[in-house]
């Protein structure tokens, strides 16, 4: 690894100023679980590392009655996995975070680092997109909000501008008769990165008709895919086993799966359809009980 200088900003503005000043020679670091590997492999050779760990106020999980769940970007996977608020109100989020790699990674890796890393095999973007979460990023010109499903634009690519840092993730309140499920499949060991991740959010109205369906697939290709056709099969109709099967069958219609060490495109799409049917059935069972 090339030698580097570690700078330790005390505020978000200071961090953004460092990142702007050093341009391509500077890089933010949070837990370091992804970045240090990439530096060891010489994918990045930054001269300056801007250490975000001093920004302690960005480490929290809070429930805001009107805005929903608020998670500071420096919150570790483990803190989210162990949060009683998350376990009670957003069990799908808990499932996504407690199945990241292994406990050593989860103790150090942060939600902000995971999103900025934008590796396709990351769990959180799939579930955050199904939950319609927003990612708040701050730079020298102020803050902006980005929908989770649009944040990742390609493999290791996001909407983040060079001097921006992720500061917070906001997940809307879980509505009555709403349920979200997240499932992943790993082909080798449980600790391995996934072949496919799926999430679904379903909300029924008082008559049992599907009011909202948000279905997402991750890990199989460069970005998070929304399953628009499946959503329109479900929305506005009373749910049935047959309708869920139809929705699951078409969930991969607009997905572009990649061929890689996690599986062939054919395998990834088959796995996604099976997982989606399981997730839909579990969410339907929960909202109709
Ligand atoms: C063995 C192993 C297994 C793994 N398995 C899984 C898995 O199953 N599922 C999964 O989801 N993930 C998995 N991961 C990925 C892991 O979740 C990420 O490494 C971790 O989330 C990155 O967070 P970090 O805080 O360590 O980021 P860092 O390594 O510090 O940074 C990663 C990138 O994000 C940027 N960055 C960090 N924080 C911010 C911020 N607040 N604002 C802007 N940019 C920022 C950095 O500049 C860098 O480019 C695995 C990783 C390993 C090593």
């Amino acid at each position: 690894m090339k030698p580097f200088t570690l700078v330790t900003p005390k505020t978000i503005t200071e961090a953004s100023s460092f990142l702007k000043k050093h341009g391509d020679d500077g890089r933010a670091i949070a837990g370091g679980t992804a970045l240090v590997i990439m530096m060891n492999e010489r994918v990045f050779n930054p001269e300056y590392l801007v250490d975000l760990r001093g920004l302690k106020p960005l480490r929290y999980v809070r429930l805001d009655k009107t805005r929903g769940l608020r998670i500071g970007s420096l919150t570790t996977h483990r803190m989210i996995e162990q949060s009683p608020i998350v376990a009670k109100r957003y069990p799908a989020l808990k499932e996504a975070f407690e199945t990241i790699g292994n406990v050593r990674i989860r103790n150090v890796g942060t939600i902000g680092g995971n999103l900025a890393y934008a590796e396709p095999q990351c769990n959180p973007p799939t579930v955050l997109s199904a939950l319609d979460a927003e990612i708040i990023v701050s730079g020298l010109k102020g803050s902006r909000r980005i929908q989770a499903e649009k944040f990742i634009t390609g493999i290791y690519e996001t909407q983040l501008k060079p001097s921006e840092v992720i500061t917070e993730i906001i997940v809307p309140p879980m509505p009555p008769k709403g349920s979200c499920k997240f499932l992943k499949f790993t082909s080798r060991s449980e600790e391995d990165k996934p072949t496919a991740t799926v999430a679904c959010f379903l909300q029924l109205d008082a008559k049992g008709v599907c009011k909202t369906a948000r279905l997402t697939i991750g890990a199989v290709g460069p970005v998070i895919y929304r399953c628009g056709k499946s959503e329109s099969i479900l929305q506005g109709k009373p749910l049935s086993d047959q309708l869920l099967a139809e929705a699951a069958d078409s969930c991969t219609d607009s997905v572009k799966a990649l061929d890689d060490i996690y599986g062939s495109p054919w395998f990834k799409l088959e796995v996604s359809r099976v997982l989606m049917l399981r997730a839909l059935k579990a969410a339907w069972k929960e909202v109709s009980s």
Side-chain angles (χ1 to χ4, degrees):
M1 188 190 294
K2 235 180 97 181
F4 57 84
T5 304
L6 191 70
V7 293
T8 51
K10 297 281 177 293
T11 62
I12 297 164
T13 311
E14 239 179 84
S16 291
S17 305
F18 276 129
L19 288 169
K20 185 169 170 73
K21 183 172 163 196
H22 298 300
D24 284 346
D25 293 333
R27 197 99 205 170
I29 184 163
T33 58
L35 185 61
V36 173
I37 293 176
M38 291 192 281
M39 287 169 65
N40 270 331
E41 289 172 354
R42 302 209 169 219
V43 178
F44 296 120
N45 299 299
E47 282 177 34
Y48 296 90
L49 280 187
V50 180
D51 188 356
L52 303 180
R53 283 169 305 176
L55 308 177
K56 291 229 167 62
L58 294 183
R59 213 171 266 253
Y60 57 83
V61 179
R62 281 186 209 130
L63 194 64
D64 183 306
K65 275 195 183 135
T66 50
R67 296 176 74 190
L69 185 72
R70 303 178 65 169
I71 308 177
S73 62
L74 287 181
T75 309
T76 62
H77 305 326
R78 188 81 169 146
M79 283 171 71
I80 299 170
E81 165 192 350
Q82 294 189 324
S83 155
I85 302 170
V86 171
K88 188 168 172 213
R89 310 251 181 166
Y90 301 88
L93 259 191
K94 179 176 165 63
E95 177 71 25
F97 280 89
E98 74 187 1
T99 55
I100 289 180
N102 56 56
V103 74
R104 298 180 302 282
I105 301 291
R106 298 200 296 278
N107 265 332
V108 186
T110 64
I111 183 169
N114 187 287
L115 295 168
Y117 180 34
E119 191 187 46
Q121 284 73 31
C122 284
N123 306 357
T126 311
V127 68
L128 288 171
S129 300
L131 285 166
D132 201 22
E134 284 184 321
I135 297 168
I136 314 299
V137 304
S138 299
L140 293 173
K141 290 184 182 156
S143 300
R144 60 192 182 107
R145 310 161 79 97
I146 305 170
Q147 264 185 294
E149 74 171 269
K150 305 228 167 91
F151 184 72
I152 295 175
T153 52
I155 301 175
Y156 306 123
E157 284 175 8
T158 69
Q159 287 203 40
L160 268 182
K161 294 187 180 141
S163 64
E164 284 179 330
V165 292
I166 300 173
T167 50
E168 190 176 50
I169 292 81
I170 302 183
V171 189
M174 188 56 82
K177 287 216 160 268
S179 170
C180 183
K181 297 289 170 196
F182 167 85
L183 291 174
K184 74 185 258 192
F185 176 82
T186 53
S187 53
R188 295 176 297 188
S189 84
E190 260 190 20
E191 290 190 2
D192 200 10
K193 292 182 182 174
T195 296
T197 55
V198 308
C200 72
F201 168 85
L202 293 180
Q203 188 191 5
L204 303 189
D205 69 12
K207 292 182 181 154
V209 169
C210 179
K211 193 172 164 190
T212 313
R214 262 192 312 274
L215 277 53
T216 54
I217 299 179
V220 297
V223 294
I224 300 301
Y225 295 93
R226 261 299 277 276
C227 316
K229 188 168 169 198
S230 308
E231 292 174 4
S232 49
I233 289 174
L234 299 169
Q235 272 164 178
K237 295 177 201 127
L239 299 183
S240 64
D241 281 323
Q242 196 193 330
L243 210 62
L244 298 190
E246 252 181 72
D249 273 350
S250 24
C251 75
T252 55
D253 279 11
S254 56
V255 174
K256 291 189 177 53
L258 297 174
D259 198 348
D260 56 29
I261 55 163
Y262 303 102
S264 66
W266 175 85
F267 181 63
K268 289 179 176 181
L269 299 185
E270 287 296 306
V271 169
S272 302
R273 284 194 283 268
V274 171
L275 289 184
M276 189 60 85
L277 182 59
R278 287 183 195 165
L280 284 169
K281 282 185 173 175
W284 183 38
K285 189 173 171 198
E286 193 169 282
V287 281
S288 47
S289 61

